[in-house]
Amino acid sequence: MRLDPRAAWVSTMRTARVAARAAGVQLDAKDGDSRRTLWLKSLLAIYDVPALTALDVPWWTFEAAAQVERFLAGRPEARVFEWGSGASSVWLGARAGSVVSTEHDGAWARSLRPLLPANVALSVVPATPAGPGSSVTSAKRGSTGLDFARYVDAIDAHDEPFDVVVIDGRAREHCLPRALRHLAPGGVVVFDNVDRARYRAALEAHGAEVDVTWTRGLTPALPYPTRTALVRRRAEPAP
């Protein structure tokens, strides 16, 4: 039987976390922790939202998080929408006026709810079986045969624009045009894991209407660098 490398990594890190705790190692965030120190601590917190929450980090590149934090500091009443909930939901709730989070996985949402601050509203919009002509699909392993149309449509229930929209869940290629449509002037879309070719292709398809800041580097809980894109609508040329 072939061993899943990801499962093996998670198991190893969780075992290491238990050993570190037993040895008295401080694994929560401390004032003055550098990015590298937080990253090292986060390696032992992979897929452990309470542990990542204690470190006060979203699961994007550290550089992307720093830029979004500076952006939110200037908009204390900012409205945020995110596809895909997790440590970022808690992190955003501490920095924004309100957060609307949409999740496809009910079990994950149930485990997360007790950690959420009062200004975070989490809803579960599961995928439905794909029928003939279904086009809102996800290339994520395990999502074959599922239609994420209702999940992607969730943002359309909100009339007011959002200052930040986070794309970090399923069917991300389909989420991008909706995110841009609901983005407030001067707002930013956080598009995570743009190492993947299909996500870069989605960004390139909107190249004429957006400006993209690519961040690459240390990412919480991962032993390798990843990329998160920060996307802004390009200003209309003056008449």
Side-chain angles (χ1 to χ4, degrees):
M1 182 170 139
R2 184 180 177 186
L3 183 65
D4 182 343
R6 178 176 294 182
W9 169 257
V10 173
S11 177
T12 299
M13 291 299 99
R14 290 188 172 175
T15 299
R17 182 176 181 84
V18 171
R21 284 287 193 200
V25 177
Q26 172 57 258
L27 296 179
D28 293 340
K30 295 191 302 183
D31 289 342
D33 276 350
S34 66
R35 283 186 188 179
R36 184 164 292 275
T37 297
L38 284 172
W39 172 69
L40 289 169
K41 291 179 177 181
S42 76
L43 292 177
L44 304 181
I46 188 168
Y47 292 126
D48 186 336
V49 173
L52 282 174
T53 298
L55 293 174
D56 195 29
V57 289
W59 208 355
W60 319 323
T61 64
F62 279 98
E63 180 56 31
Q67 292 192 36
V68 173
E69 186 165 38
R70 288 194 294 271
F71 175 82
L72 290 173
R75 299 191 183 199
E77 300 304 316
R79 300 180 73 249
V80 178
F81 183 93
E82 62 170 358
W83 282 285
S85 59
S88 62
S89 309
V90 180
W91 186 88
L92 287 162
R95 291 162 174 82
S98 63
V99 179
V100 176
S101 185
T102 299
E103 175 58 49
H104 79 285
D105 186 332
W108 176 257
R110 285 192 295 275
S111 68
L112 180 63
R113 285 188 195 281
L115 303 173
L116 296 176
N119 63 339
V120 178
L122 173 60
S123 62
V124 177
V125 184
T128 58
S134 295
S135 59
V136 184
T137 58
S138 171
K140 182 78 172 179
R141 183 186 305 174
S143 296
T144 303
L146 296 176
D147 186 338
F148 287 86
R150 291 177 59 247
Y151 173 83
V152 173
D153 289 347
I155 196 171
D156 292 338
H158 304 275
D159 295 327
E160 295 290 323
F162 292 95
D163 300 284
V164 176
V165 179
V166 181
I167 303 175
D168 199 10
R170 295 293 185 267
R172 298 184 202 185
E173 309 95 305
H174 300 280
C175 292
L176 179 59
R178 299 298 183 87
L180 294 173
R181 188 183 308 165
H182 288 272
L183 193 63
V188 61
V189 175
V190 181
F191 197 148
D192 201 21
N193 304 120
V194 288
D195 312 80
R196 301 170 190 170
R198 64 185 184 273
Y199 299 159
R200 294 198 303 275
L203 285 169
E204 289 166 4
H206 291 272
E209 60 182 300
V210 299
D211 291 312
V212 182
T213 300
W214 304 90
T215 71
R216 183 181 187 277
L218 293 177
T219 303
L222 296 177
Y224 48 83
T226 66
R227 288 198 285 179
T228 302
L230 303 179
V231 186
R232 292 174 172 83
R233 274 204 312 261
R234 190 166 291 164
E236 293 289 336

